Amino acid sequence: MTAEYVSPWMNDELEALRDSATRFFTKEAVPAMPKWSEQRHVDREFWLAAGKMGLLCPTVPEEFGGAGGNILHQIAITEAQSRTVEKGWGNNVHSGVVTDYILNYGTREQCERWLPAMVEGRIIGAIAMTESGAGSDVRAMKCRARRDGDEYVIDGAKTFITNGLTADLVIVAVKTEGAEDPKAITLIAVEAGTPGFERGQPLRKIGQHAADTAELFFDSCRVPVSNRIGDEGAGFPALMTQMPQERLILGVNAVVQTEKAVALTLEYVKERKVFGKPLFAMQNTRFVLAECQTMAKAARLFLDHCIVAHSNGVLDNTTAAMAKWWLSDIQCKVLDECVQLWGGYGYMEEYAIARMYADSRVQKVYGGANEIMKEIIARSL
């Protein structure tokens, strides 16, 4: 039996946070998953309960109502969620993405106005970049904003937006009319209830059914200039600066799901009888799981390397791209092998392994398609 591996970034405080989050998710989220999957979004009451537990926006400084933690606290919470609950709750976007845009590029007034409520779960955050013709190619977006006095007037649409149905605050990426660079992107925060801002019905996906994913529409939507995040035209550099963290969080989910798939399958094949023997007695089963366990271990080691690098401020775009494509690829490969060992039961939605399999496929698409990740890596060679 190999010795239990402990990540080098883990310490007693983070382990306690992860354990506390795991207990909370097990008690409050797991029983509610069928309901959330049916209605296609997580109840707002759960967001508020998570806020009371200190599981939202842990990187927000105390002066803005947060715990004053760092990215490792967010990763510990992400690990707990991924180990316990199927992908659905959009906290990684709310806490791991939107929060940092406001902290790093917003004004003090914006931080004071939005962050305390985000920490408490009273405001749910989303970021809207993707359009029907602009996914990985962010610069191809057509959503526009024109300056009209002290307001921006936004026209366009966004799709596949996490937390889109329930978000109270959406950071929208637009191109500003009249800008010197026609490809320059500006980030503008649009608040729920703003005239001209509408949402479509929750999108029906093959997996991640509890995830609130929607289309957003902007028709002469007037937003105060004071809602702009950062300088006009400075959105693309901000997006590129924040992408390594977003891709790292996707990698965390990928590795935890890979490890969980191996553990669930190992337990199953030791109990399942085939030709009068446990399925694990078959050499092919043992060899397949040996390969899966090796891939899971290698993925964990690479992930931990990236986590340590990011916590020290040195995770570069190329390495983050490597992590995003390779870890999600390993996740899908291992889940495919594990589902095969479950036989017909692996195709039944009532089993966690089947839901994990369906949930995993989009990991190779969002956050930048894996083909784009390879292009990023190739350009660095």
Side-chain angles (χ1 to χ4, degrees):
M1 191 71 179
T2 58
E4 182 178 357
Y5 172 77
V6 178
S7 297
W9 54 269
M10 182 59 66
N11 57 35
D12 291 344
E13 178 196 359
L14 294 170
E15 187 172 11
L17 173 61
R18 187 176 64 184
D19 291 346
S20 176
T22 298
R23 290 192 296 270
F24 173 77
F25 294 140
T26 301
K27 180 181 178 182
E28 303 294 337
V30 172
M33 281 301 300
K35 176 190 175 186
W36 295 343
S37 295
E38 183 66 26
Q39 68 189 22
R40 304 280 165 162
H41 69 271
V42 172
D43 289 333
R44 184 168 290 269
E45 290 75 16
F46 181 75
W47 284 92
L48 295 171
K52 289 182 179 179
M53 284 291 297
L55 301 180
L56 302 181
C57 312
T59 60
V60 171
E62 292 181 8
E63 63 180 316
F64 301 128
N70 55 46
I71 187 58
L72 296 180
H73 294 87
Q74 178 60 42
I75 289 173
I77 295 168
T78 298
E79 284 209 352
Q81 177 186 347
S82 192
R83 287 180 178 182
T84 313
V85 190
E86 285 109 56
K87 194 79 168 59
W89 185 40
N91 184 39
N92 287 330
V93 169
H94 173 85
S95 297
V97 179
V98 178
T99 296
D100 277 39
Y101 277 101
I102 297 172
L103 276 173
N104 293 333
Y105 307 104
T107 64
R108 183 173 185 85
E109 187 275 333
Q110 289 171 342
C111 290
E112 292 173 344
R113 181 168 25 139
W114 295 321
L115 291 180
M118 290 180 67
V119 170
E120 295 174 6
R122 292 185 290 109
I123 285 180
I124 298 173
I127 186 163
M129 289 189 285
T130 303
E131 300 179 9
S132 59
S136 296
D137 183 8
V138 176
R139 286 185 180 270
M141 68 175 61
K142 295 182 179 179
C143 192
R144 293 290 192 272
R146 62 179 175 83
R147 182 79 176 258
D148 184 14
D150 292 332
E151 295 179 319
Y152 284 107
V153 183
I154 304 175
D155 287 285
K158 300 290 183 177
T159 193
F160 308 142
I161 306 305
T162 299
N163 296 338
L165 185 69
T166 56
D168 305 285
L169 182 74
V170 183
I171 297 178
V172 184
V174 300
K175 289 183 178 177
T176 310
E177 292 185 5
E180 184 175 339
D181 178 0
K183 293 185 177 181
I185 292 169
T186 298
L187 303 178
I188 303 173
V190 180
E191 296 170 279
T194 301
F197 171 33
E198 302 290 341
R199 316 166 199 252
Q201 293 298 310
L203 298 173
R204 302 187 69 83
K205 309 177 294 295
I206 65 171
Q208 300 191 18
H209 293 156
D212 164 6
T213 312
E215 292 179 291
L216 307 180
F217 304 97
F218 306 91
D219 183 8
S220 297
C221 178
R222 289 184 170 270
V223 181
V225 171
S226 59
N227 276 27
R228 188 183 66 218
I229 306 294
D231 295 331
E232 189 170 292
F236 189 76
L239 294 174
M240 294 303 100
T241 299
Q242 295 302 123
M243 270 299 179
Q245 179 164 305
E246 181 177 346
R247 289 166 180 161
L248 177 64
I249 291 173
L250 292 176
V252 172
N253 279 310
V255 171
V256 173
Q257 288 288 291
T258 301
E259 294 169 336
K260 183 177 178 179
V262 175
L264 287 173
T265 304
L266 183 59
E267 181 181 4
Y268 173 76
V269 299
K270 288 183 176 181
E271 295 176 354
R272 171 72 170 170
K273 294 292 195 300
V274 178
F275 302 115
K277 296 180 180 180
L279 183 55
F280 188 67
M282 305 292 182
Q283 186 182 66
N284 179 70
T285 302
R286 299 198 305 274
F287 280 11
V288 167
L289 284 174
E291 293 174 0
C292 288
Q293 181 72 341
T294 302
M295 286 188 280
K297 183 64 174 288
R300 167 59 69 177
L301 292 171
F302 181 38
L303 172 67
D304 285 345
H305 164 79
C306 294
I307 290 173
V308 171
H310 189 54
S311 67
N312 291 326
V314 293
L315 179 63
D316 59 90
N317 280 314
T318 300
T319 306
M322 291 177 179
K324 193 275 171 180
W325 91 257
W326 190 71
L327 296 177
S328 63
D329 198 61
I330 290 296
Q331 175 188 8
C332 290
K333 285 180 179 178
V334 168
L335 270 159
D336 188 61
E337 295 284 8
C338 288
V339 164
Q340 185 71 18
L341 291 175
W342 283 72
Y345 294 105
Y347 201 65
M348 298 296 106
E349 196 175 45
E350 66 185 280
Y351 289 90
I353 197 71
R355 299 190 297 271
M356 291 166 62
Y357 178 79
D359 289 351
S360 69
R361 185 57 182 83
V362 74
Q363 285 260 122
K364 297 166 73 171
V365 176
Y366 57 21
N370 282 1
E371 291 76 11
I372 301 299
M373 299 302 98
K374 294 175 185 179
E375 180 64 24
I376 292 172
I377 297 163
R379 289 177 181 178
S380 72
L381 301 179

